[in-house]
Amino acid sequence: MSAGMTAGHTTATVESAKREGKKSLVLVMSKGGADMAYPALILATTARALGMDAHIYFTFWGMQLLTSEGRKKSMDVFPPDMQKAIAAKFPSIEQFMQQAKQAGVHIHACSPTMDMFGMTKAGLVNEVDDVIGASTYLELASHPDALTLFI
Amino acid sequence: MSAGMTAGHTTATVESAKREGKKSLVLVMSKGGADMAYPALILATTARALGMDAHIYFTFWGMQLLTSEGRKKSMDVFPPDMQKAIAAKFPSIEQFMQQAKQAGVHIHACSPTMDMFGMTKAGLVNEVDDVIGASTYLELASHPDALTLFI
Amino acid sequence: MSAGMTAGHTTATVESAKREGKKSLVLVMSKGGADMAYPALILATTARALGMDAHIYFTFWGMQLLTSEGRKKSMDVFPPDMQKAIAAKFPSIEQFMQQAKQAGVHIHACSPTMDMFGMTKAGLVNEVDDVIGASTYLELASHPDALTLFI
């Protein structure tokens, strides 16, 4: 870690980011594994802690994270010993998504994916705010103050 | 779906996005499977419908989508029954790419990938507009009015 | 390649991008395979050649690229004959990362990943500049002049 990365420096520059930086984080979550769900949830909750709006648009394989069964299966990307090591230090994907929701992260389900895979709103977890399509995503992401990533 | 997501609200905010939002969508398409090609093509054609410019820069495994054989193989990421379900509701990747092209989506092939894999322009599908490198991509993506994603 | 893509045209438009475009490229590198490391390193070194700042934030599986062993294993995503073809034309990931570093690309390791996987700074390669978390990444990426991608 360089000398410039002391806690004081980081706080000062983060304060600056709050004032000058973009105001919302808009993530597309296209994968169903916990290996990509953790980075998405860490980024979204950190954005909220920095005072940014945060949205996660779950699409394609990512829609599996919006079902109870898929959320459990999402840990299968890790071998059993790694699953244990992660569980010892981090919340489960289910817990983390509930925490994100409580922190104000908006959870969007993808309408074309539900059509493609024959999913229904009733089969989705409670954290889902709404079902949107690509045009609403582009509307959110194309705002000059938005930072967007495809995960 | 929340009350705010009625059709009227969406239309109004999309109109607003057209006026205030970014003017072009620039996608990097690095994967060769139909599971990532569908999201890319849905985003690009939706961007065109919203009046945005749209570019897809096919690179690395994504270059397989610019060959006839690779385009067919791209569906192998799905089990057979899912392939049938998708085919019943969505155009094939070949058809979808032709529709995107007709809608004005720019199709770029990646020069370093062709060098790495020994591909020739003659082996690519007709939808390809040009062969570009990373500097031309960065030029498109670094425009203040551009929204860019790495898929 | 279209007529407009002659070398002269490209030079002119690249000059324009230098003046008007965004000033920094901030990549999140979440994958551990050479298939995604090559695109990231090509983009980051090209950005430097265009006069942009360039950052790569290695996270999750991408952290494997910051260990000697993981860097070698990163080529396993390719079958042996493709490994040979790539080695004939491109630097190894190790060489390429060293070249990127010399060209001024900033190499950041991810603090939460190190915690999750029990990694230590002493186990990382020399090219690492510092260990940062999601808030510092968001600070870099949310700057109005930054272009950011999740790879």
Side-chain angles (χ1 to χ4, degrees):
Chain A
M1 198 181 288
S2 73
M5 288 304 303
T6 59
H9 173 77
T10 301
T11 304
T13 46
V14 166
E15 288 296 321
S16 162
K18 277 195 219 177
R19 287 194 306 270
E20 300 169 25
K22 289 172 182 170
K23 303 293 185 293
S24 70
L25 176 69
V26 184
L27 303 178
V28 182
M29 184 64 213
S30 70
K31 311 298 190 305
D35 54 338
M36 292 295 112
Y38 276 112
L41 289 164
I42 289 171
L43 285 170
T45 53
T46 303
R48 288 295 302 143
L50 293 174
M52 300 170 74
D53 283 339
H55 297 262
I56 311 181
Y57 174 39
F58 291 83
T59 188
F60 230 86
W61 306 123
M63 284 291 291
Q64 295 177 359
L65 297 165
L66 298 186
T67 68
S68 298
E69 194 191 8
R71 219 140 63 165
K72 277 168 206 146
K73 278 192 188 169
S74 72
M75 288 299 284
D76 293 352
V77 294
F78 300 114
D81 59 334
M82 200 181 283
Q83 289 187 30
K84 279 184 200 162
I86 291 170
K89 293 190 176 175
F90 285 80
S92 70
I93 294 298
E94 182 178 3
Q95 290 167 333
F96 208 166
M97 205 178 293
Q98 287 165 353
Q99 289 171 14
K101 174 82 179 179
Q102 283 161 14
V105 175
H106 299 278
I107 307 286
H108 307 286
C110 173
S111 166
T113 303
M114 293 176 71
D115 187 32
M116 187 178 269
F117 295 157
M119 302 171 84
T120 61
K121 180 117 202 301
L124 304 181
V125 297
N126 288 333
E127 285 79 54
V128 175
D129 283 303
D130 51 19
V131 179
I132 68 174
S135 65
T136 305
Y137 160 72
L138 284 174
E139 176 195 333
L140 288 167
S142 74
H143 193 282
D145 254 345
L147 165 62
T148 190
L149 297 169
F150 188 98
I151 297 182
Chain B
M1 197 180 289
S2 72
M5 288 304 303
T6 58
H9 173 77
T10 301
T11 304
T13 46
V14 166
E15 288 297 320
S16 162
K18 279 195 215 175
R19 288 194 305 270
E20 299 168 26
K22 289 172 184 171
K23 304 293 187 291
S24 70
L25 176 69
V26 184
L27 303 177
V28 182
M29 183 65 213
S30 71
K31 311 297 189 307
D35 54 338
M36 291 296 112
Y38 276 112
L41 289 164
I42 289 171
L43 284 170
T45 52
T46 303
R48 287 298 299 143
L50 293 174
M52 298 171 76
D53 284 339
H55 297 261
I56 310 180
Y57 174 39
F58 290 82
T59 188
F60 230 85
W61 306 123
M63 285 292 290
Q64 296 177 358
L65 297 166
L66 299 185
T67 67
S68 298
E69 196 190 8
R71 218 140 63 166
K72 277 169 206 145
K73 278 191 190 170
S74 71
M75 288 298 285
D76 293 352
V77 293
F78 299 114
D81 58 335
M82 201 182 283
Q83 289 187 29
K84 279 184 201 163
I86 292 170
K89 293 190 175 175
F90 285 79
S92 70
I93 294 299
E94 181 178 4
Q95 290 167 333
F96 208 165
M97 207 179 291
Q98 288 165 354
Q99 289 170 14
K101 174 80 178 181
Q102 282 159 15
V105 175
H106 299 278
I107 307 287
H108 307 286
C110 173
S111 166
T113 304
M114 292 176 72
D115 188 31
M116 187 177 269
F117 294 157
M119 301 171 85
T120 61
K121 180 114 199 306
L124 304 182
V125 297
N126 288 333
E127 285 79 53
V128 175
D129 283 304
D130 52 18
V131 179
I132 69 174
S135 64
T136 305
Y137 160 72
L138 284 174
E139 175 195 333
L140 288 166
S142 74
H143 193 282
D145 254 344
L147 165 61
T148 190
L149 297 170
F150 187 97
I151 297 182
Chain C
M1 198 181 288
S2 72
M5 288 303 304
T6 59
H9 173 76
T10 302
T11 304
T13 45
V14 166
E15 288 296 322
S16 161
K18 277 195 218 177
R19 288 192 306 270
E20 300 168 24
K22 289 172 183 171
K23 304 292 185 293
S24 69
L25 177 69
V26 185
L27 303 177
V28 182
M29 184 64 213
S30 70
K31 311 297 189 305
D35 55 338
M36 292 296 112
Y38 276 112
L41 289 164
I42 289 171
L43 285 170
T45 53
T46 303
R48 287 297 301 143
L50 294 175
M52 298 170 76
D53 284 340
H55 297 262
I56 310 182
Y57 174 39
F58 291 82
T59 188
F60 231 86
W61 305 124
M63 284 292 291
Q64 296 178 357
L65 297 165
L66 299 186
T67 67
S68 298
E69 195 190 8
R71 218 140 65 166
K72 278 169 205 144
K73 279 191 189 171
S74 72
M75 288 299 284
D76 293 351
V77 293
F78 300 115
D81 58 335
M82 200 181 283
Q83 290 188 29
K84 280 184 199 161
I86 292 169
K89 293 189 174 175
F90 285 79
S92 70
I93 294 298
E94 182 178 4
Q95 290 167 333
F96 207 165
M97 206 178 292
Q98 288 165 353
Q99 289 171 15
K101 175 80 178 180
Q102 283 161 14
V105 175
H106 299 277
I107 307 286
H108 306 286
C110 173
S111 166
T113 304
M114 293 176 70
D115 187 31
M116 187 178 270
F117 295 157
M119 303 171 83
T120 62
K121 181 116 200 303
L124 304 182
V125 297
N126 288 333
E127 285 79 53
V128 176
D129 284 302
D130 51 20
V131 179
I132 69 174
S135 64
T136 305
Y137 159 72
L138 284 174
E139 177 194 332
L140 289 167
S142 74
H143 193 281
D145 255 344
L147 165 61
T148 189
L149 297 169
F150 188 98
I151 297 182

